[in-house]
Amino acid sequence: MLRHLYLNKAGAAFVLVALFLVCIACWCVAERPFGGNNGLMLFVVILFAVMFSWVAATTPLLICDRGYGLLLVYLYKARTIFMRDITAFRYPVNHNNTLCYRIVVGTEEVLDITGKWGRLSELVADWERQNGLPDYQDEPVNTYRPTDVSFEFRPSLRSLFDRRAAFLLVCVISMLAVRLVVPPYGAVTVWIAVAIVALGGLLCKFFTCFAKDGGLLKMTNFVVRKCNHSISLEAVKWVMIVRDDVCVKLKDGHVVKVRHGLSDDDVQQLANALDSIGIPCRYRYVYERWR
């Protein structure tokens, strides 16, 4: 019996983009003789198809919770992992500077799953509450005590407009190039406008401020409201900062994850500030015993 279905949002987005490009290419070939811009478009579609095939072959697109086990659905195959065989189920885990879910099967096989999985972290939290952690996965201890120390860190504009701005600029230029290649139909223009707005929403997620206010750790974003959180410091188990993500692991197993646009110096100072008040913070590196 199927209990829950978890979708890899990143994989789904890639499928939609690939299908969108395939439709555009077919449209171009049907409207005009093959060659010129149509040939360029087909080359782009083939390139995306190869990239998608490589990604989908290594990362599941769907995870089905059947109660007795997890069904991992890839592009070309499917695999069932029985719950009785899982010795550890962890999130978040830093694997090569990328956040992932880690499933340890038996005593030897380690399966790291990347992607955006939505509520899959709640399944991990349930597993941790029911099974606990093995001895070799002992974790740092929260030694927080109420204190008058306060701090606040705001996103750095210089940090926001380097890697992210370059990526968004490449995306916008690519969309404009597609707009020049395809026939001038209104539907294409609407889709490109929607994509640009979506990219703007992604950028706004980085405008999050971090502050300690009394016994609370506050994360505030005045644009994207779902990034706003107020967490009791006594409920925090530890904090992990990996690239652009700040993950707050709670004692009940749940994880609060938000994007940050802090500079490298501010990230280091935030990690030091949390450590100074007794909240273990992993920054850039991960000790072997914390994996």
Side-chain angles (χ1 to χ4, degrees), residues 69-90:
L70 301 177
L71 175 63
L72 279 60
V73 181
Y74 295 79
L75 182 62
Y76 304 116
K77 63 179 181 179
R79 175 187 178 184
T80 298
I81 300 178
F82 295 100
M83 287 296 187
R84 65 174 181 267
D85 297 330
I86 297 178
T87 56
F89 198 4
R90 306 294 308 283

Side-chain angles (χ1 to χ4, degrees), residues 2 5 8 26 34 38 53 63 66 103 108 120 123 136 151 163 174 204 229 239 283:
L2 180 63
L5 182 66
N8 187 343
C26 294
F34 179 78
N38 291 332
S53 299
I63 295 180
R66 293 185 170 181
I103 302 177
E108 296 182 355
L120 182 59
L123 178 62
Y136 66 87
F151 54 79
R163 303 172 307 237
S174 300
C204 290
H229 300 279
V239 178
Y283 166 61

Side-chain angles (χ1 to χ4, degrees), residues 170-185:
V170 170
C171 291
V172 171
I173 292 176
S174 300
M175 292 178 188
L176 294 178
V178 171
R179 179 64 184 84
L180 295 175
V181 171
V182 301
Y185 296 107

Side-chain angles (χ1 to χ4, degrees), residues 105-165:
V105 184
T107 59
E108 296 182 355
E109 183 180 4
V110 177
L111 182 62
D112 288 334
I113 301 174
T114 58
K116 307 295 182 182
W117 290 95
R119 303 173 67 88
L120 182 59
S121 60
E122 295 185 2
L123 178 62
V124 180
D126 292 339
W127 190 93
E128 288 187 0
R129 286 195 295 269
Q130 295 175 13
N131 299 275
L133 295 175
D135 294 337
Y136 66 87
Q137 290 186 334
D138 58 330
E139 296 187 329
V141 178
N142 181 342
T143 58
Y144 172 75
R145 294 292 183 273
T147 174
D148 294 333
V149 174
S150 62
F151 54 79
E152 182 178 8
F153 296 92
R154 296 181 175 275
S156 167
L157 293 180
R158 181 177 179 181
S159 175
L160 283 171
F161 291 101
D162 48 16
R163 303 172 307 237
R164 303 177 186 90

Side-chain angles (χ1 to χ4, degrees), residues 220-248:
T220 307
N221 190 308
F222 296 101
V223 181
V224 184
R225 295 297 182 180
K226 69 177 182 179
C227 295
N228 294 338
H229 300 279
S230 293
I231 305 171
S232 172
L233 289 170
E234 294 182 352
V236 176
K237 179 181 288 187
W238 44 257
V239 178
M240 176 189 291
I241 305 176
V242 180
R243 288 189 177 179
D244 298 327
D245 293 306
V246 176
C247 300
V248 181

